[in-house]
Amino acid sequence: MLALLWGCQGQQGLGPQFVDVAAQAGVQVVTVSGTPAKRHIVECNTGGVALFDYDGDGDLDLFFVNGSRLEGFAPGQEPRAALYRNEGNWHFAEVGAQAGVDHLGWGMGCSAVDYNADGWLDLYLTCYGRNALYRNQGDGTFAEVGAQAGVDEPGWSTGAAWGDYDGDGDLDLYLAKYIDFDPAYAPSDMSFCTWHGISVFYGPRGMPGAADKFFRNEGPSSGWRFAEVSAQLGIDDHQYYGFAALASDVDNDGDLDIYVADDSTPKLLFRNDGGRFSEVAMLTGCAYSEDGREQGSMGIAGGDYDQDGDVDLLVTNFSHDNNTFYQNNGRGFFTDVSFATALGAASISSLGWGAEFFDYDNDGDEDLFVANGHVYPQVDQHDLGTTYAQRNQLFANNGDRDFIEVGPRAGPGMQVQKSSRGAAVGDIDNDGDLDLAVVNIDDSPTLLRNEGGNRLHWLMVELRQEGLNRFAVGARVELWAGGKRQLREVRAGTGYLSQNDLRLHFGLGQQRGVERMVVRWPDGARQVLEGVAADQLLLVRRQ
């Protein structure tokens, strides 16, 4: 009956349909990462994408990082990052060089954040090599100021999670790091390492992990410089293989905690204790799988799927293992419910990367998208129950604390099989339903237009405040409509090394309005709105 009800909402009884419009939209950059053979671990992880309004014209633009290869490229032939300006009607113009963000180097991820409180969204790039900070100059161009700001961290950086962790008003940076990688140390002879009997590249096990870093924003008086204070805050004791990082108030105490997905090592949860951090992942039940194993973790999604007012966590993992779904029991303690839901069994043959909770059908609860793709091209020559190119997955929330995998009937865009990495969610065409941008390694992106998701009602909320955090990163919004409670947070840094739309989207089903909405601003102040009409972009300015 649930599937039947879901099926009535969209086209031809099949629910909302996703169509890949990347080619017609002109979004065709190829994300390069090493050689097709993937002889080194650094060649398989590139893949961040950002959906953000860089020019302030009210629609979402697209930014894609790009990679490189160990032997380099001839001058003028190097892959470069791409910025696509939204021209409307699903047409984009590539303006990376014109805007000054056609980054040259081995990029990994990206996040969009107004770090200097000038009202314009800047770009932070994590890299294998020195990171880059592109300051938005407000005229359609950017200036690279990473060294000047003190965040041009060398080595191999991955996830970035921004937030006002210390309550001083400005935005600080948690930076996940992966491996202290030396290509000369890593053997290129692929007979050196095997996985399920096939020869593959070496690592990460056996390689030295890299310690994550914390950069405190010193504010306008310093010229918007950052100080590296990891040891001072108690987050430098672990040299794991860090990938994604998520800033979220998981224990509902009013400040931002940090959750980190680590490859082949325990996950980390840094509980914010008033500006200093305590690592509590094992204590709270989100460090390991249900049976106590370390997992090869890649991406993180955080959302309130069961609508009880706290943030649950989905972590994507390596193939022949399951993605791990941690239900928040309140106050930041978790239960692994991967196999109590459909999410565990459905992920065994896939290798997951970017993941996002989002209400794609506007029925009032959060669904889940997972981007998949293997790291070993060699799996295609063996009967291991998996493939290098994989179909991404879409899970519909059935409203009873479980999910139904609906990707096979959710349109041709969900049938695309590539080796995907990062993904970002946002309303690209401003029509009231959520679209997707997906990075595919050594291939062009997938740009998924949602057709039919806006047949039910919706509300988009955009937050603005004065001061040092103009876009209210770290704020949360709760609303009540038709007996349902919904929760969203404003996050800079999402999924797998990517950036979602900073606007908060709520599906409302058949409800034509919201009875009550509560905005909790980053400093804890609350603002209540009542009787909000549906089907609009609501700009909420702090009172």
Side-chain angles (χ1 to χ4, degrees):
M1 182 63 177
L2 285 169
L4 222 96
L5 288 172
W6 176 83
C8 316
Q9 296 173 12
Q11 297 177 1
Q12 300 175 347
L14 293 176
Q17 303 286 285
F18 286 89
V19 178
D20 181 10
V21 297
Q24 74 182 63
V27 179
Q28 291 287 275
V29 62
V30 172
T31 300
V32 174
S33 192
T35 65
K38 306 301 178 201
R39 293 186 173 277
H40 292 278
I41 192 170
V42 73
E43 297 180 319
C44 70
N45 302 311
T46 298
V49 55
L51 278 173
F52 76 120
D53 182 8
Y54 87 95
D55 51 4
D57 65 353
D59 53 30
L60 294 174
D61 310 296
L62 279 162
F63 178 82
F64 294 91
V65 303
N66 217 324
S68 187
R69 62 187 183 195
L70 291 173
E71 59 269 33
F73 287 84
Q77 297 181 20
E78 307 95 338
R80 289 182 174 270
L83 175 65
Y84 287 93
R85 185 180 63 221
N86 193 334
E87 305 280 80
N89 197 29
W90 290 96
H91 178 72
F92 292 80
E94 205 289 300
V95 295
Q98 175 185 329
V101 292
D102 58 334
H103 182 79
L104 176 61
W106 206 319
M108 288 287 153
C110 54
S111 49
V113 61
D114 180 13
Y115 80 96
N116 60 348
D118 64 355
W120 296 95
L121 289 172
D122 312 294
L123 269 174
Y124 187 62
L125 272 62
T126 61
C127 301
Y128 169 54
R130 286 201 173 271
N131 295 346
L133 176 61
Y134 286 95
R135 185 185 67 216
N136 192 329
Q137 301 186 107
D139 60 358
T141 67
F142 294 77
E144 205 289 297
V145 296
Q148 176 184 330
V151 291
D152 61 332
E153 173 72 12
W156 187 347
S157 302
T158 48
W162 296 81
D164 180 13
Y165 297 104
D166 52 7
D168 65 352
D170 53 33
L171 294 172
D172 314 299
L173 168 63
Y174 182 94
L175 180 65
K177 302 201 69 179
Y178 191 48
I179 294 171
D180 186 5
F181 181 71
D182 181 357
Y185 174 73
S188 59
D189 178 3
M190 296 179 70
S191 65
F192 183 84
C193 186
T194 61
W195 178 79
H196 287 267
I198 64 174
S199 296
V200 297
F201 59 71
Y202 181 52
R205 292 191 185 275
M207 293 182 164
D212 296 352
K213 297 291 183 74
F214 189 97
F215 294 90
R216 184 181 63 213
N217 194 331
E218 303 288 75
S221 63
S222 71
W224 297 104
R225 286 189 55 80
F226 291 77
E228 200 275 295
V229 293
S230 311
Q232 180 180 332
L233 297 182
I235 65 165
D236 65 335
D237 296 334
H238 308 85
Q239 290 186 315
Y240 292 166
Y241 309 124
F243 265 139
L246 177 74
S248 175
D249 183 9
V250 300
D251 54 3
N252 283 352
D253 68 348
D255 53 28
L256 288 175
D257 312 296
I258 305 165
Y259 189 55
V260 186
D262 293 312
D263 188 2
S264 305
T265 45
K267 307 167 193 76
L268 297 169
L269 176 59
F270 291 102
R271 184 182 64 205
N272 192 333
D273 296 323
R276 184 173 174 82
F277 295 90
S278 302
E279 204 290 298
V280 296
M282 186 168 70
L283 173 67
T284 58
C286 59
Y288 302 99
S289 67
E290 186 177 19
D291 53 355
R293 291 179 295 105
E294 297 171 347
Q295 297 177 284
S297 300
M298 312 296 180
I300 305 171
D304 185 14
Y305 91 107
D306 51 4
Q307 301 184 314
D308 62 352
D310 51 36
V311 175
D312 311 295
L313 300 169
L314 185 284
V315 182
T316 57
N317 295 313
F318 211 80
S319 73
H320 293 67
D321 194 358
N322 63 282
N323 294 340
T324 315
F325 189 33
Y326 297 105
Q327 184 181 47
N328 195 329
N329 299 323
R331 299 178 61 190
F333 288 85
F334 296 88
T335 299
D336 184 342
V337 295
S338 306
F339 288 98
T341 68
L343 300 181
S347 61
I348 298 295
S349 63
S350 301
L351 198 164
W353 297 88
E356 301 296 346
F357 285 106
F358 73 126
D359 188 357
Y360 81 97
D361 52 3
N362 283 356
D363 67 349
D365 50 33
E366 288 191 285
D367 312 297
L368 177 68
F369 173 82
V370 180
N372 296 315
H374 220 286
V375 299
Y376 304 139
Q378 298 80 9
V379 298
D380 286 343
Q381 279 73 57
H382 300 266
D383 185 14
L384 295 175
T386 190
T387 56
Y388 184 65
Q390 298 180 2
R391 183 180 62 80
N392 299 325
Q393 292 172 300
L394 179 64
F395 295 90
N397 191 326
N398 73 357
D400 192 26
R401 299 194 172 197
D402 204 350
F403 295 87
I404 304 166
E405 215 279 281
V406 298
R409 61 179 188 267
M414 286 293 172
Q415 315 317 312
V416 172
Q417 294 191 37
K418 298 185 178 183
S419 191
S420 298
R421 295 296 184 265
V425 173
D427 188 358
I428 294 173
D429 50 5
N430 288 331
D431 68 346
D433 54 30
L434 292 175
D435 313 293
L436 290 154
V438 184
V439 176
N440 302 305
I441 201 164
D442 298 322
D443 209 330
S444 57
T446 308
L447 190 59
L448 297 176
R449 182 174 65 207
N450 187 335
E451 297 185 351
N454 57 4
R455 296 187 179 205
L456 297 178
H457 297 293
W458 54 276
L459 178 69
M460 188 79 78
V461 178
E462 187 170 11
L463 301 182
R464 289 289 186 277
Q465 62 177 2
E466 298 301 316
L468 304 181
N469 182 4
R470 299 283 187 91
F471 289 81
V473 172
R476 63 164 49 184
V477 174
E478 286 189 90
L479 62 76
W480 289 259
K484 289 187 174 183
R485 176 187 191 181
Q486 298 190 51
L487 168 67
R488 305 285 189 273
E489 293 179 325
V490 181
R491 297 173 182 148
T494 53
Y496 176 74
L497 318 189
S498 293
Q499 177 66 58
N500 292 338
D501 187 354
L502 289 171
R503 302 173 301 179
L504 303 178
H505 172 270
F506 300 85
L508 300 178
Q510 301 292 342
Q511 304 303 310
R512 297 183 177 275
V514 172
E515 292 101 46
R516 187 168 184 262
M517 183 169 74
V518 178
V519 179
R520 192 186 77 187
W521 296 97
D523 65 357
R526 294 176 184 268
Q527 187 170 337
V528 179
L529 295 88
E530 295 181 336
V532 177
D535 305 324
Q536 63 164 320
L537 169 62
L538 179 68
L539 176 62
V540 180
R541 295 191 179 275
R542 183 169 180 171
Q543 293 179 345

